[in-house]
Every structure is written in structure tokens, then in C-alpha cells.
Amino acid sequence: MDARHEQNHEEPGAGAGRRVEHVVVELRGATAHCQAADDPSRTSRTGAAGLAEQLGIDLSDLLGRRYTCWETRGEHGVVRSGFELA
């Protein structure tokens, strides 16, 4: 791979994201449904067990939990990382 190819495959928008607060509003099966705290119309779904693990809490404590994460726009949607309890 040349340098140009590698540059195009770096994380898109690196450093251009923002930290967003979310709340887990529903657990449906193995999926956690979340809303952005500042805009309830912004919703997302993620694996409940994985989210609980990233937050360092038990799955049973996930519903209603507020957390923050770093959101960066990527080529295939929003990339979320750096999960922390709010």
C-alpha cells in the first residue's frame, strides 16, 4: 500500500467528533435502545451486553443508565467509542 492509500483508510473524521450523552430507554431482547439526552429524536441501538461491558456495569443495571461516548461520523455511519458513565 502506498501512503495515499493508507491515508484514505484512516479513521474518517478523526478528531472531528464530539462527546454525546445518551440514556438507555429500552431493552428489547439482546438490544439496548438509546436516545441522545439533548435530542430524544436521535436514537440508536446496540448490543446490550457489549454496552454494559464497555460501561463496566451489570446488564441488569443498564436500563435508565446515562452514559457518554465519543461520536465521529464515518464512511458507514456514526462511530461510537470512549464509553463512560455519566
Side-chain angles (χ1 to χ4, degrees), residues 4-83:
R4 184 175 183 181
H5 181 79
E6 288 181 19
Q7 179 181 3
N8 290 336
H9 284 84
E10 290 177 5
E11 184 173 311
R18 67 184 184 115
R19 184 155 288 278
V20 177
E21 183 174 346
H22 297 270
V23 62
V24 178
V25 294
E26 182 180 8
L27 295 175
R28 188 179 301 167
T31 305
H33 294 252
C34 307
Q35 291 178 339
D38 65 345
D39 182 0
S41 69
R42 289 187 51 230
T43 61
S44 62
R45 294 180 301 229
T46 190
L51 179 59
E53 182 178 334
Q54 289 180 30
L55 294 173
I57 62 174
D58 290 331
L59 184 59
S60 61
D61 294 329
L62 197 55
L63 187 61
R65 183 66 67 164
R66 288 183 172 269
Y67 66 93
T68 64
C69 65
W70 189 255
E71 291 188 353
T72 306
R73 287 253 173 232
E75 183 177 340
H76 300 288
V78 176
V79 177
R80 293 179 178 90
S81 61
F83 292 82

